[in-house]
Amino acid sequence: MPGSPQSRTGRPPVQRAAVGRPGTPGPPPYENPLLRLYLRLRRAWDRPLTAYYLICGGSALITVLGLVMVYSASQITALQLSLPGSYFFRKQALAALIGAGLLVAAMKMPVKLHRALAYPILAGAVFLMILVQVPGIGVAVNGNQNWISLGGSFQIQPSEFGKLALVLWGADLLARKHDKKLLTQWKHMLVPLVPAAFMLLGLIMIGGDMGTAIILTAILFGMLWLAGAPTRLFAGVLSIALVLGFILIKTSPNRMARLNCLGATDPGPGDSCWQAVHGIYALASGGLFGSGLGASVEKWGQLPEAHTDFIFAVTGEELGLAGTLSVLALFAALGYAGIRVAGRTEDPFVRYAAGGVTTWITAQAVINIGAVLGLLPIAGVPLPLFSYGGSALLPTMFAIGLLIAFARDEPGARAALALRQPRFGRKRGARGPAAKRSPRSWNTMRRRASAARSSGER
């Protein structure tokens, strides 16, 4: 046709879509920056090594920040006792080093060895808790006889190891009954787990430590929940625990006084709410970013137990709201990672043990922080991995090692870690077969590893 352009073949030219013209559609929705960021974060959150990194990084940051705050909060107390200012910090640092060794050991142990240690740890914890009540061996601290002196200034609190014992032994017991299809019967679900837990609770309550007893009860309920306890059975055990707790609180003037200090803004008659009120004062005076590290006023004799049970209050005063929210975020990440490990595993022992450890650390953190905020009664429990106290730090770090071992043992995490090893396997100046490998073969191996990475891990 005249006037129409023709190609060399005599056919009309192919009409191409115009790029950038006003009538063309806009970019796809996934090219939105906010949506793209959300998708990237979601992919990173779903990677197989997310729980592993959260547990390792979160626990390490909490421990390091706890050492810093112990050093800051304990200086005045140490000087008042005619001790060096770094006295409590050095003891906590030593406990952290020993705990790091226990963490690595627990991380390297296979699951079979963890299960084999369940009964020895339980027997050792029960034996030590009985020794606490023997005159001349047990030591009373702040009215609670739950300590054993190791000579000098070193003491051990066996009830802290009772938490670890209940987690390991209870997980092994429930796993064996799960394999035999016995957990569908309520008798097998409760016996002998509940009687053994009540025995530990009785030994703890003889010494008067109700805070540790509450944590042990929370671990028991968490494991029963994971085992699939029926609602009526769960409610029945919870009702019995509440009745016993009410009786123990009602018959103790000290516990009733602590309960009456909920939401107190004044020390009250006889300064019965002194500690609770000054904890609120410390948090209120911190502001958004705090008064500065080491600049706390309440630790100068106004706030009792500033480096142990109320170290979160000193953190709020010196680091402000930003510091306290950071600590809360770290504990939330640690709790999420533990729940994720318990939910993704196929091994019943790993599920129950990971759930028990997560319940332990999360419940103890909630009770400690809730008491400092004036939302819960003061239970006298330390903030896990953060407060001063080697007896609490050692079993907690061993429990963190359990979580790391379980997170590494997931199929996706194990494959991702195996794919990462060749990247660090060749060093500069290496000799032997590794040095003879050509760069081309090395790059080929890396490309194969990247192609085989189906989980998106990088």
Side-chain angles (χ1 to χ4, degrees):
M1 180 181 294
S4 62
Q6 298 289 334
S7 63
R8 292 183 179 180
T9 59
R11 299 177 181 176
V14 179
Q15 298 294 329
R16 297 181 180 179
V19 180
R21 293 183 179 179
T24 58
Y30 59 81
E31 290 189 5
N32 185 295
L34 294 178
L35 182 60
R36 187 166 61 249
L37 177 62
Y38 167 75
L39 294 176
R40 291 183 61 182
L41 291 176
R42 185 174 180 179
R43 284 196 299 267
W45 201 253
D46 290 336
R47 288 179 178 178
L49 287 177
T50 298
Y52 172 74
Y53 287 137
L54 284 178
I55 297 171
C56 292
S59 59
L61 289 174
I62 293 173
T63 305
V64 172
L65 183 58
L67 287 173
V68 174
M69 293 311 304
V70 165
Y71 180 65
S72 175
S74 65
Q75 288 183 356
I76 306 304
T77 304
L79 294 175
Q80 289 175 345
L81 297 174
S82 301
L83 297 171
S86 60
Y87 174 78
F88 293 104
F89 168 77
R90 287 181 292 175
K91 290 184 64 177
Q92 186 74 355
L94 177 62
L97 289 176
I98 299 174
L102 293 176
L103 186 149
V104 173
M107 184 177 64
K108 298 295 184 180
M109 289 180 186
V111 174
K112 291 183 178 179
L113 184 55
H114 289 148
R115 301 185 67 169
L117 289 175
Y119 283 87
I121 293 178
L122 177 64
V126 171
F127 177 72
L128 290 176
M129 281 192 282
I130 294 175
L131 283 182
V132 167
Q133 307 306 324
V134 176
I137 299 179
V139 177
V141 177
N142 295 331
N144 296 336
Q145 187 164 345
N146 286 304
W147 300 80
I148 295 177
S149 177
L150 300 179
S153 61
F154 291 94
Q155 295 177 341
I156 187 173
Q157 188 176 4
S159 57
E160 293 291 341
F161 295 89
K163 304 173 187 176
L164 179 62
L166 180 61
V167 167
L168 288 177
W169 177 79
D172 178 69
L173 176 69
L174 292 175
R176 285 189 285 107
K177 292 193 174 188
H178 178 274
D179 295 336
K180 296 179 181 179
K181 311 296 183 182
L182 296 176
L183 291 181
T184 55
Q185 306 175 29
W186 68 270
K187 294 182 179 179
H188 287 283
M189 185 175 293
L190 295 182
V191 180
L193 177 62
V194 174
F198 279 11
M199 177 191 65
L200 293 175
L201 289 172
L203 291 173
I204 293 172
M205 287 306 302
I206 290 175
D209 188 1
M210 191 170 182
T212 304
I214 293 174
I215 305 300
L216 218 66
T217 305
I219 295 173
L220 174 63
F221 287 155
M223 299 184 77
L224 286 177
W225 182 270
L226 288 173
T231 305
R232 60 182 183 277
L233 182 63
F234 195 84
V237 178
L238 181 60
S239 301
I240 295 175
L242 290 176
V243 170
L244 291 176
F246 176 78
I247 294 174
L248 292 172
I249 293 174
K250 196 69 176 179
T251 55
S252 173
N254 183 33
R255 298 188 186 112
M256 282 298 300
R258 293 184 178 186
L259 187 62
N260 293 331
C261 291
L262 283 177
T265 57
D266 184 84
D271 293 335
S272 57
C273 299
W274 180 273
Q275 187 179 26
V277 170
H278 278 272
I280 298 296
Y281 290 169
L283 291 172
S285 60
L288 186 59
F289 296 105
S291 58
L293 192 62
S296 170
V297 176
E298 290 293 334
K299 69 182 180 183
W300 286 77
Q302 299 295 323
L303 180 62
E305 308 296 337
H307 61 297
T308 54
D309 301 343
F310 271 70
I311 194 171
F312 188 76
V314 179
T315 303
E317 185 179 5
E318 296 187 351
L319 303 182
L321 181 64
T324 55
L325 290 181
S326 299
V327 174
L328 290 176
L330 290 174
F331 276 109
L334 197 59
Y336 166 80
I339 294 173
R340 173 170 166 162
V341 170
R344 293 196 173 190
T345 183
E346 298 295 335
D347 190 338
F349 172 79
V350 174
R351 183 184 308 115
Y352 300 135
V357 171
T358 305
T359 304
W360 164 13
I361 296 176
T362 305
Q364 188 164 330
V366 169
I367 291 174
N368 177 276
I369 296 174
V372 174
L373 296 176
L375 304 176
L376 295 174
I378 299 175
V381 295
L383 191 58
L385 301 173
F386 202 84
S387 297
Y388 170 79
S391 294
L393 185 62
L394 295 181
T396 305
M397 294 193 74
F398 187 90
I400 294 295
L402 287 176
L403 286 181
I404 295 175
F406 298 155
R408 291 180 58 184
D409 201 44
E410 291 183 12
R414 196 185 311 118
L417 288 172
L419 289 172
R420 285 177 170 235
Q421 289 177 0
R423 293 189 178 185
F424 305 96
R426 188 182 182 189
K427 299 180 180 179
R428 294 182 178 179
R431 298 180 180 180
K436 296 179 181 179
R437 185 181 300 152
S438 63
R440 184 174 182 179
S441 62
W442 173 256
N443 294 331
T444 303
M445 183 175 65
R446 291 186 61 179
R447 286 197 299 271
R448 291 177 180 174
S450 301
R453 190 180 291 118
S454 60
S455 60
E457 182 64 29
R458 297 184 181 180

